[in-house]
Amino acid sequence: AQVLVESGGGSLQAGGSLRLSCAAALYPLSTYCMAWFRQAPGKEREGVAAINTVGSTRYTNSVEGRFTITKDNAKNTLYLQMNSLRPEDTAMYYCAASPFSRCAARAMLLVQTVYDYWGQGTQVTVSS
């Protein structure tokens, strides 16, 4: 069974908004750091946003001020609110999770190797 399942992707025009969701079968979710990564065609996967077990967040520079990551531990769900979308945001977006023991340092939150669990991704396509 899939541990992380993303949803909410789609196609839209630049300037629009989307909210991605990631349903997690990890318990309790409060003990996991979680993150969103993305991979565009021909490019390496990059960290977009992450949140640790005490709610501290980290964003890559290109999405700072436009994207917001939140985690609802009661619903076992991670979210990524994406506003003011740009064509360069087009990518497959992946949800990832790591036990808190591996992600204690905020500086590590966008490092791929920290994360043990990955979803299958949801596609976001932004047209100009």
Side-chain angles (χ1 to χ4, degrees), residues 34-108:
M34 298 193 75
W36 290 97
F37 288 78
R38 67 185 179 187
Q39 187 167 21
K43 294 188 176 182
E44 293 186 355
R45 188 161 56 183
E46 65 167 345
V48 176
I51 185 167
N52 68 8
T53 57
V54 294
S56 293
T57 57
R58 189 175 177 97
Y59 298 91
T60 192
N61 289 342
S62 64
V63 308
E64 190 83 53
R66 300 188 297 124
F67 290 10
T68 303
I69 186 171
T70 55
K71 181 159 70 84
D72 188 329
N73 293 324
K75 294 184 178 180
N76 261 62
T77 303
L78 178 74
Y79 302 99
L80 184 68
Q81 178 66 44
M82 305 186 295
N83 299 328
S84 302
L85 281 160
R86 304 168 180 169
E88 53 264 39
D89 294 318
T90 294
M92 184 71 78
Y93 283 71
Y94 298 91
C95 172
S98 173
F100 72 91
S101 59
R102 288 172 52 79
C103 55
R106 184 172 176 271
M108 297 296 289

